[in-house]
Amino acid sequence: RGNTLKNIEKECNAKIMIRGKGSVKEGKVGRKDGQMLPGEDEPLHALVTANTMENVKKAVEQIRNILKQGIETPEDQNDLRKMQLRELARLNGTLREDDNRILRPWQSTETRSITNTTVCTK
Protein backbone atom coordinates (compact mmCIF):
# COMPACT_ATOMS: atom_id res chain seq x y z
CA ARG A 1 0.00 0.00 0.00
CA GLY A 2 2.99 2.28 -0.42
CA ASN A 3 3.92 2.53 3.25
CA THR A 4 7.62 1.88 2.60
CA LEU A 5 7.61 4.65 0.00
CA LYS A 6 5.79 7.00 2.40
CA ASN A 7 8.37 6.26 5.11
CA ILE A 8 11.25 7.08 2.76
CA GLU A 9 9.50 10.29 1.70
CA LYS A 10 9.02 11.35 5.32
CA GLU A 11 12.55 10.40 6.39
CA CYS A 12 14.24 12.11 3.43
CA ASN A 13 11.82 15.04 3.11
CA ALA A 14 11.33 14.17 -0.56
CA LYS A 15 8.53 13.26 -2.95
CA ILE A 16 8.87 9.93 -4.78
CA MET A 17 6.68 8.87 -7.69
CA ILE A 18 6.91 5.51 -9.46
CA ARG A 19 6.53 6.12 -13.19
CA GLY A 20 6.82 4.24 -16.46
CA LYS A 21 5.54 0.97 -17.86
CA GLY A 22 4.18 -1.24 -15.10
CA SER A 23 3.75 1.57 -12.57
CA VAL A 24 -0.05 1.43 -12.87
CA LYS A 25 -1.83 -1.87 -12.25
CA GLU A 26 -3.19 -3.63 -15.32
CA GLY A 27 -6.77 -2.55 -16.00
CA LYS A 28 -6.52 0.71 -14.05
CA VAL A 29 -7.20 3.76 -16.15
CA GLY A 30 -4.58 6.45 -15.80
CA ARG A 31 -6.67 9.43 -16.88
CA LYS A 32 -10.35 9.75 -17.67
CA ASP A 33 -9.73 11.28 -21.09
CA GLY A 34 -7.87 8.12 -22.18
CA GLN A 35 -4.52 9.88 -22.54
CA MET A 36 -1.38 8.29 -21.15
CA LEU A 37 0.04 9.50 -17.86
CA PRO A 38 3.32 11.44 -17.96
CA GLY A 39 6.21 9.02 -18.41
CA GLU A 40 3.92 6.02 -18.99
CA ASP A 41 5.68 5.19 -22.26
CA GLU A 42 9.12 5.20 -20.55
CA PRO A 43 10.87 2.34 -18.75
CA LEU A 44 9.88 1.82 -15.10
CA HIS A 45 11.62 4.39 -12.88
CA ALA A 46 11.30 6.50 -9.73
CA LEU A 47 11.00 10.28 -9.95
CA VAL A 48 12.51 11.86 -6.83
CA THR A 49 12.03 15.53 -6.01
CA ALA A 50 13.07 17.50 -2.92
CA ASN A 51 14.04 20.99 -1.78
CA THR A 52 17.74 20.12 -1.52
CA MET A 53 20.08 17.93 -3.51
CA GLU A 54 21.14 16.18 -0.28
CA ASN A 55 17.54 15.03 0.31
CA VAL A 56 17.30 13.74 -3.27
CA LYS A 57 20.58 11.82 -2.88
CA LYS A 58 19.45 10.38 0.46
CA ALA A 59 16.16 9.14 -1.05
CA VAL A 60 17.88 7.73 -4.13
CA GLU A 61 20.37 5.85 -1.93
CA GLN A 62 17.56 4.29 0.09
CA ILE A 63 15.74 3.25 -3.10
CA ARG A 64 18.96 1.69 -4.44
CA ASN A 65 19.46 -0.23 -1.19
CA ILE A 66 15.92 -1.62 -1.35
CA LEU A 67 16.37 -2.65 -5.00
CA LYS A 68 19.76 -4.23 -4.27
CA GLN A 69 18.31 -6.16 -1.34
CA GLY A 70 15.37 -7.32 -3.46
CA ILE A 71 17.68 -8.55 -6.22
CA GLU A 72 20.47 -10.10 -4.18
CA THR A 73 18.62 -11.55 -1.17
CA PRO A 74 16.55 -14.74 -1.49
CA GLU A 75 12.86 -14.15 -0.71
CA ASP A 76 12.87 -16.25 2.47
CA GLN A 77 15.78 -14.19 3.87
CA ASN A 78 14.55 -10.73 2.81
CA ASP A 79 13.61 -9.03 6.09
CA LEU A 80 12.11 -5.96 4.40
CA ARG A 81 9.82 -8.14 2.31
CA LYS A 82 8.79 -10.16 5.38
CA MET A 83 8.02 -6.95 7.26
CA GLN A 84 6.00 -5.57 4.34
CA LEU A 85 3.97 -8.78 3.99
CA ARG A 86 3.37 -8.86 7.75
CA GLU A 87 2.17 -5.24 7.71
CA LEU A 88 -0.10 -5.93 4.73
CA ALA A 89 -1.57 -8.98 6.46
CA ARG A 90 -2.19 -6.85 9.56
CA LEU A 91 -3.91 -4.17 7.47
CA ASN A 92 -6.02 -6.81 5.71
CA GLY A 93 -6.92 -8.49 9.01
CA THR A 94 -5.31 -11.83 8.08
CA LEU A 95 -2.35 -11.79 10.47
CA ARG A 96 -2.31 -14.37 13.25
CA GLU A 97 -0.50 -12.84 16.21
CA ASP A 98 0.07 -16.16 18.02
CA ASP A 99 2.72 -17.48 15.64
CA ASN A 100 3.29 -14.48 13.33
CA ARG A 101 2.07 -16.37 10.26
CA ILE A 102 -0.37 -15.08 7.71
CA LEU A 103 -3.73 -16.83 7.91
CA ARG A 104 -5.41 -17.58 4.64
CA PRO A 105 -8.98 -18.92 4.73
CA TRP A 106 -8.13 -22.11 2.83
CA GLN A 107 -5.28 -22.89 5.24
CA SER A 108 -7.47 -22.88 8.35
CA THR A 109 -6.97 -25.96 10.52
CA GLU A 110 -10.33 -25.58 12.26
CA THR A 111 -12.88 -28.22 11.33
CA ARG A 112 -16.22 -26.79 10.39
CA SER A 113 -19.37 -28.32 11.74
CA ILE A 114 -22.11 -28.34 9.13
CA THR A 115 -25.56 -29.50 10.17
CA ASN A 116 -28.25 -30.17 7.62
CA THR A 117 -31.55 -28.58 8.65
CA THR A 118 -33.59 -29.80 5.69
CA VAL A 119 -36.46 -32.08 6.71
CA CYS A 120 -38.21 -34.22 4.09
CA THR A 121 -41.90 -34.87 4.81
CA LYS A 122 -42.54 -37.17 1.84
Side-chain angles (χ1 to χ4, degrees):
R1 296 196 182 165
N3 289 338
T4 303
L5 197 63
K6 290 174 193 170
N7 290 338
I8 295 172
E9 286 180 336
K10 187 192 289 186
E11 188 178 315
C12 299
N13 197 22
K15 179 69 180 158
I16 304 168
M17 292 172 275
I18 308 299
R19 296 260 179 99
K21 293 178 185 171
S23 63
V24 179
K25 286 185 179 179
E26 195 71 31
K28 293 259 184 183
V29 178
R31 290 180 21 189
K32 291 181 180 179
D33 60 6
Q35 298 293 321
M36 290 197 309
L37 293 170
E40 193 175 356
D41 57 339
E42 299 173 3
L44 189 61
H45 63 280
L47 177 63
V48 181
T49 57
N51 291 335
T52 66
M53 196 60 194
E54 290 80 28
N55 289 346
V56 171
K57 288 178 182 178
K58 191 174 169 184
V60 168
E61 186 61 31
Q62 285 198 21
I63 293 168
R64 284 191 174 139
N65 288 339
I66 289 172
L67 291 173
K68 183 178 180 185
Q69 182 180 2
I71 292 168
E72 295 176 355
T73 308
E75 271 191 43
D76 60 334
Q77 296 173 12
N78 190 330
D79 292 333
L80 175 63
R81 180 172 169 77
K82 286 179 187 177
M83 184 270 305
Q84 288 174 328
L85 290 174
R86 179 178 167 76
E87 183 179 4
L88 185 60
R90 185 183 54 77
L91 291 170
N92 290 338
T94 57
L95 179 68
R96 287 178 30 178
E97 292 296 336
D98 57 341
D99 61 355
N100 297 330
R101 288 189 341 205
I102 297 171
L103 174 64
R104 294 175 180 91
W106 64 88
Q107 294 175 324
S108 177
T109 57
E110 297 175 13
T111 56
R112 294 184 184 173
S113 175
I114 300 172
T115 305
N116 187 354
T117 58
T118 305
V119 177
C120 181
T121 57
K122 297 274 181 181

